[in-house]
């Protein structure tokens, strides 16, 4: 493993970066499940926060072992998805997006004020979520292998889902909810199950990232994060299971590559300002541009099989003679 | 088989359906005609569960269905097509017909995760049945094409195949031959009669009187939400109220 990363170091790919790319890939998968069923949900940053905080609180404050804590975080995400999904999934399109953005904000606010609320109600001082400062000095327990295994399980799930009765029902709902219902598909049930699965994947990614970061803060899971997750899936494609993995990895790697290529200091030297400390803002700009370009020019995403097939056909030599029947 | 008793559907103050009574007997092809805006589509939306009547009772095989969800009504054995074609355009022809067999499947997520024998057996059966249906509607050569890319007449037939794939006992057809030429319409009529001979019951909404004469055992006429006549095709053609509804009154 180390040899691989030594080799890749000149292009900005070290093990830490790779780990965050894997997290991004898992997050992309989490929103892929709901998008596959035609649900435009931005709740996954909220579920990620729930997974992170539940598992980190369990390992740090209650001395739970690592794996059970991650699973507990996923279960917590799933349970909250049941409660949130039933009312929220009656909405569709932009209304669902707005409601789920609201959910994410509520989660962040609740986490930030959890200790205070507890104190108000039970009249007893505690330190669970640590308020706005978050939880510090978390030992790094997640390693690359954990992430790879989790991602492989998720990808295998998505691959099987596509060719299952469950996945076909979701595809039908995405295409035309009314017709799906008239063909005997219980639309409410399938939407909720997809929502819960997406929430559990996001919560799992959260738990794993929480034990990778040393510090977690509520602000890590706000609206920006929700949009990042959406961008991963849109960039990679939302109808083919490899899409969100490719999208998450590419988009998480792009800023590192730009940093390595010293693009920022180059642009800074042109405009005559030092931009090297503006990395976060630049990441946002890149995400925005990528989102717009892909929605306009490549709506199928990077991993769209149709795109590669047509590209292959165009690049293959003598295609006109051989291809014609 | 299907019985509507005093069914009304109000949109604000407007009665799209006004105390409609109707009976569809098993094994028959029943036509539902009426001028545009008469409430025909509202009626079959109420029957298929997309809409619910404001008052009145709908029985299907003795079960009250007016408050049931669409998928529950489908499970009782009712299929339908749409006035504007509503296929899953981005999926293949075969997938469209496989999805319609959803309620007959039992494989859950775990079955497909572990590729259990149940999952594989069930999928194989569904594909076989889908090909049977596609062959019947002369669509088998397009099985891997995108449904949205088919010519218009084929899309109509695919919608019919998809409705039959839910294994219904009653099928509602909402203007199934709209946009077809007379030859295609006649062929489609033959398909309807074949389905009836297989023991299905059909309720057909149609403007094309040639098709109505070709297939229907009985015809109901709806005008401004009220059922103004019913009877055999010949009787309806002579009915003074019906002629008036379509052509207006001579002063």
């Amino acid at each position: 493993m180390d040899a691989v990363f030594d080799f890749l170091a000149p292009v900005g790919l070290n093990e830490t970066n790779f780990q965050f790319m894997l997290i991004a890939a898992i997050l992309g998968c989490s929103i892929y499940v709901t998008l596959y069923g035609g649900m435009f949900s931005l709740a996954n940053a909220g579920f990620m926060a729930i997974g992170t905080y539940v598992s980190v609180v369990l390992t740090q404050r209650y001395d739970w072992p690592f794996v059970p804590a991650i699973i507990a975080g996923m279960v917590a995400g799933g349970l909250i998805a049941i409660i949130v999904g039933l009312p929220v999934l009656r909405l569709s399109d932009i209304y669902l997006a707005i409601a789920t953005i609201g959910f994410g904000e509520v989660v962040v606010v609740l986490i930030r004020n959890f200790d205070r609320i507890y104190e108000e109600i039970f009249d007893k001082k505690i330190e669970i979520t640590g308020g706005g400062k978050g939880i510090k000095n978390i030992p790094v327990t997640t390693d690359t292998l954990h992430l790879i295994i989790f991602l492989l399980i998720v990808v295998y799930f998505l691959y099987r889902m596509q060719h299952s009765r469950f996945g076909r029902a979701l595809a039908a709902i995405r295409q035309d909810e009314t017709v799906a219902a008239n063909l005997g598909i219980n639309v409410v049930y399938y939407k909720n199950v997809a929502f819960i699965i997406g929430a559990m994947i996001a919560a799992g990614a959260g738990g794993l990232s929480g034990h990778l970061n040393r510090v977690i803060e509520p602000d890590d899971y706000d609206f920006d994060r929700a949009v990042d997750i959406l961008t991963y899936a849109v960039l990679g494609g939302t109808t083919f299971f490899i899409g969100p993995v490719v999208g998450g990895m590419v988009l998480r790697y792009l800023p590192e590559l730009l940093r390595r290529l010293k693009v920022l200091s180059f642009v800074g030297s042109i405009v005559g300002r030092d931009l090297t400390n503006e990395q976060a803002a630049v990441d946002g700009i890149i995400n925005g541009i990528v989102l717009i370009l892909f929605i306009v020019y490549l709506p199928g995403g990077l991993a769209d099989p149709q795109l590669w097939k047509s590209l292959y056909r165009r690049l293959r030599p003598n295609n006109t003679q051989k291809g014609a029947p | 088989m299907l019985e509507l008793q005093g069914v009304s559907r109000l949109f604000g103050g407007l009665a799209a359906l006004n105390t409609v009574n109707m009976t569809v007997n098993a094994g028959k092809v029943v036509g539902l005609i009426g001028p545009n805006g008469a409430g025909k589509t509202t009626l079959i939306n109420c029957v298929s569960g997309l809409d619910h009547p404001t008052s009145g009772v709908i029985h299907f095989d003795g079960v009250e269905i007016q408050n049931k969800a669409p998928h529950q009504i489908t499970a009782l054995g009712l299929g339908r097509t749409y006035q504007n074609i509503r296929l899953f355009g981005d999926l293949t022809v075969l997938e469209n017909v496989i999805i319609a067999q959803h309620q007959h499947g039992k494989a859950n997520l775990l079955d497909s995760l572990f590729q259990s024998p149940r999952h594989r057996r069930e999928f194989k059966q569904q594909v076989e049945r889908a090909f049977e249906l596609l062959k019947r509607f002369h669509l088998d050569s397009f099985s891997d094409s995108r449904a949205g890319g088919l010519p218009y007449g084929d899309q109509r037939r695919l919608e019919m195949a998809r409705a039959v794939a839910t294994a219904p006992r009653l099928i509602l057809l909402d203007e199934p031959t709209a946009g077809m030429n007379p030859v295609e319409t006649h062929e489609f009529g033959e398909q309807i009669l074949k389905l009836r001979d297989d023991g299905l019951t059909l309720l057909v909404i149609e403007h094309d009187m040639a098709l109505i004469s070709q297939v229907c055992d009985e015809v109901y006429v709806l005008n401004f939400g009220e059922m103004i006549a019913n009877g055999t095709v010949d009787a309806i053609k002579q009915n003074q109220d019906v002629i008036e509804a379509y052509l207006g009154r001579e002063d």
Side-chain angles (χ1 to χ4, degrees), chain A residues 39 51 53 115-116 175 188-189 196 223 282 284 294 306 315:
Chain A
M39 287 169 278
Y53 269 86
D115 296 350
R116 273 223 306 269
Q175 296 254 305
V188 177
Y189 171 79
I196 293 164
F223 180 63
V282 173
F294 270 78
Q306 297 297 331
L315 295 181

Side-chain angles (χ1 to χ4, degrees), chain B residues 34-83:
Chain B
N36 288 325
K40 304 182 296 289
T41 298
T42 306
L43 190 149
I44 73 165
N45 279 350
C46 283
V47 173
S48 64
L50 293 186
D51 199 350
H52 301 288
T54 318
S55 63
V57 184
I58 304 174
H59 281 282
F60 178 62
D61 263 357
V63 185
E64 268 189 35
I65 58 168
Q66 70 271 18
N67 293 320
K68 286 199 187 300
H71 70 271
Q72 294 169 320
I73 295 175
T74 309
L76 291 171
L78 194 138
R80 71 166 290 181
T81 66
Y82 304 86
Q83 188 174 351

Side-chain angles (χ1 to χ4, degrees), chain A residues 156-157 160-169 171-187 190 193 197, chain B residues 48 50 70-71 74 78 80 82 86 88-91 98-100 102-103 105-107 109 112-115 119 122-123 126 162 166:
Chain A
Y156 178 76
F157 169 80
R160 284 298 181 209
M161 182 184 86
Q162 208 152 21
H163 302 285
S164 72
R165 180 164 166 269
F166 175 81
R168 279 192 297 271
I173 292 169
R174 179 184 72 224
Q175 296 254 305
D176 193 329
E177 212 174 305
T178 311
V179 176
N182 261 338
L183 292 177
I185 293 167
N186 187 343
V187 173
Y190 279 98
V193 172
I197 292 171
Chain B
S48 64
L50 293 186
H71 70 271
T74 309
L78 194 138
R80 71 166 290 181
Y82 304 86
R86 293 177 80 163
F88 301 125
D90 286 344
L91 305 181
I98 289 176
I99 285 170
H102 176 87
Q103 55 173 340
K106 292 202 169 50
L109 257 179
S112 56
L113 278 188
F114 299 113
Q115 293 290 294
H119 167 84
E122 189 178 293
F123 184 68
Q126 290 188 341
R162 192 178 64 176
T166 64

Side-chain angles (χ1 to χ4, degrees), chain A residues 21-22 24-33 35-36 151-163 229 231-251 294 300-308:
Chain A
M21 284 163 65
L22 290 169
I26 299 168
L27 287 171
C29 293
S30 76
I31 201 171
Y32 174 90
V33 181
L35 287 173
Y36 197 75
L151 179 63
L152 283 180
I153 294 172
V154 170
V155 167
Y156 178 76
F157 169 80
L158 295 186
Y159 166 67
R160 284 298 181 209
M161 182 184 86
Q162 208 152 21
H163 302 285
I229 296 175
T231 324
Y232 300 152
V234 170
L235 179 96
T238 53
T239 49
F240 186 56
F241 70 101
I242 292 294
V245 178
V246 173
M249 292 208 145
V250 168
L251 214 54
F294 270 78
L302 261 186
D304 183 8
Q306 297 297 331
L307 172 75
W308 292 104

Side-chain angles (χ1 to χ4, degrees), chain A residues 98-153:
Chain A
I98 292 168
T100 48
I101 290 170
F103 163 75
E105 295 301 310
V106 168
V107 169
V108 170
V109 170
L110 281 181
I111 289 174
R112 187 179 295 136
N113 296 299
F114 185 85
D115 296 350
R116 273 223 306 269
I117 297 169
Y118 188 91
E119 200 183 323
E120 289 287 324
I121 297 174
F122 298 103
D123 212 18
K124 195 175 135 207
K125 231 180 162 55
I126 53 158
E127 193 174 333
I128 295 292
T129 64
K133 295 197 301 290
I135 302 173
K136 294 197 168 58
N137 298 324
I138 308 163
V140 175
T141 3
T142 307
D143 59 35
T144 312
L145 197 62
H146 290 136
L147 293 166
I148 290 177
I149 291 172
F150 192 82
L151 179 63
L152 283 180
I153 294 172

Side-chain angles (χ1 to χ4, degrees), chain B residues 109-228:
Chain B
L109 257 179
L110 291 179
D111 284 325
S112 56
L113 278 188
F114 299 113
Q115 293 290 294
S116 74
R118 174 158 79 168
H119 167 84
R120 272 179 291 177
R121 190 172 354 109
E122 189 178 293
F123 184 68
K124 208 174 140 231
Q125 278 168 2
Q126 290 188 341
V127 171
E128 275 168 17
R129 167 125 177 87
F131 267 107
E132 240 168 66
L133 282 167
L134 290 179
K135 215 165 273 172
R136 171 173 197 166
F137 288 93
H138 312 298
L139 292 163
D140 46 327
S141 47
F142 306 119
S143 63
D144 286 330
S145 321
R146 256 183 78 250
L150 289 185
Y152 188 82
D154 289 338
Q155 292 200 13
R156 284 270 176 216
R157 287 211 304 272
L158 176 57
E159 222 188 24
M160 183 93 156
R162 192 178 64 176
V164 176
T166 64
R169 282 168 293 146
L170 171 65
I171 300 188
L172 313 174
L173 300 175
D174 195 350
E175 300 196 19
T177 66
M180 284 189 183
N181 65 36
V183 179
E184 287 173 320
T185 303
H186 189 81
E187 272 174 26
F188 198 85
E190 298 288 321
Q191 290 281 1
I192 292 177
L193 291 174
K194 242 188 252 170
L195 289 172
R196 186 198 61 186
D197 294 342
D198 289 350
L200 281 171
T201 311
L202 295 105
L203 176 61
V204 187
I205 291 184
E206 198 40 86
H207 283 301
D208 189 328
M209 282 312 284
L211 182 82
I212 292 283
S213 317
Q214 184 191 350
V215 300
C216 290
D217 300 303
E218 194 182 358
V219 179
Y220 280 82
V221 188
L222 203 59
N223 190 29
F224 291 119
E226 295 190 33
M227 208 56 98
I228 56 170

